[in-house]
Amino acid sequence: MANHQTLTNQALALAGLAQATMLVHQLATTGSAENAPLQASIGSLLAIDAESVAAIYGGLSGLRAGLQRLEAQLAHAGRIPYPEEARYAALLIVLERQFSKRPDLQQKVRQGIERAQRQTEMFGLLHDNVLAGLGDLYHETISTLQPRIMVRGEPQYLSPPEAVNRIRALLLAGIRAALLWRQCGGSRWKFLFHRQRILQELRALRAYLDA
């Protein structure tokens, strides 16, 4: 991605992270999730050689839900409207930094993603086989790192294997977004000191989508 270290790309990467954590929370607390953002977030795992950050999510519209969610999170000074999702996002950023120091796990994830790409061609992106493979991949790689993410929700929604696989696949998509955030020049201090600039960028992107 040429000239990828821009505020726009940083905002898009954070929106991807917000979207993944929003979907995790929806699945854990209601047992279902919106299909369009789910497709875009899971699809981001398979877009290894995309030309732009937006393209990783199938275009800017694939991040509509994440842009809305992140804007809502940042717009309330002194209050986080979705604290559980913010907790997941913060942990995923920490885990991505741990993951970046483990070339053995990176190799394992790449092999798993290539396997998921082949499965998707046969079954479709959200097929149980694809999601089971991605869920296992998360469990065998990211789950071995510290701190482990404990997803909170309703037991009846967290128990079925299919639900576990979807949540794990989305957490892996969150790692992908956290990696993008860092690759695009994002950092903790930038988030802290450029919060208003990021918020303005999110509003501009949303306005462009809604035009």
Side-chain angles (χ1 to χ4, degrees):
M1 295 180 289
N3 191 29
H4 58 277
Q5 293 198 0
T6 66
L7 184 65
T8 297
N9 282 341
Q10 290 165 23
L12 290 174
L14 283 178
L17 182 57
Q19 184 161 294
T21 57
M22 177 194 77
L23 293 167
V24 165
H25 188 62
Q26 284 181 351
L27 286 170
T29 57
T30 71
S32 62
E34 300 169 51
N35 190 64
L38 183 63
Q39 288 262 2
S41 289
I42 299 297
S44 72
L45 288 168
L46 309 186
I48 294 173
D49 299 315
E51 295 180 355
S52 67
V53 174
I56 289 169
Y57 293 89
L60 189 59
S61 60
L63 281 170
R64 183 185 295 273
L67 291 167
Q68 292 174 338
R69 200 59 148 203
L70 185 58
E71 183 182 337
Q73 292 278 55
L74 297 183
H76 295 79
R79 183 175 71 86
I80 301 174
Y82 306 103
E84 201 65 19
E85 295 169 29
R87 182 177 70 87
Y88 296 149
L91 287 171
L92 285 166
I93 287 174
V94 172
L95 285 169
E96 189 280 322
R97 294 298 297 154
Q98 299 297 322
F99 177 66
S100 70
K101 300 171 185 174
R102 292 287 302 274
D104 57 326
L105 296 185
Q106 292 169 37
Q107 177 65 18
K108 193 167 187 174
V109 166
R110 177 169 282 274
Q111 291 171 347
I113 294 300
E114 290 171 351
R115 186 165 56 250
Q117 287 174 326
R118 294 192 295 271
Q119 287 181 313
T120 297
E121 291 173 4
M122 293 175 60
F123 303 117
L125 179 61
L126 298 185
H127 191 276
D128 285 345
N129 288 1
V130 177
L131 294 171
L134 292 171
D136 287 344
L137 185 60
Y138 177 87
H139 182 64
E140 293 167 3
T141 56
I142 307 303
S143 277
T144 67
L145 302 171
Q146 294 295 329
R148 293 191 66 179
I149 295 181
M150 302 300 293
V151 174
R152 297 171 183 163
E154 300 299 324
Q156 67 266 35
Y157 302 135
L158 291 170
S159 299
E162 296 81 5
V164 172
N165 289 333
R166 286 194 169 212
I167 287 171
R168 286 175 173 169
L170 284 166
L171 290 173
L172 193 59
I175 292 288
R176 167 71 157 140
L179 172 62
L180 279 173
W181 158 248
R182 185 166 57 82
Q183 289 176 331
C184 292
S187 64
R188 179 178 173 81
W189 73 265
K190 277 194 176 179
F191 181 76
L192 291 173
F193 292 108
H194 294 175
R195 182 188 178 104
Q196 283 304 311
R197 288 181 60 197
I198 293 170
L199 181 57
Q200 290 169 6
E201 187 66 25
L202 291 168
R203 287 170 172 162
L205 288 165
R206 287 240 294 130
Y208 176 81
L209 264 178
D210 296 336

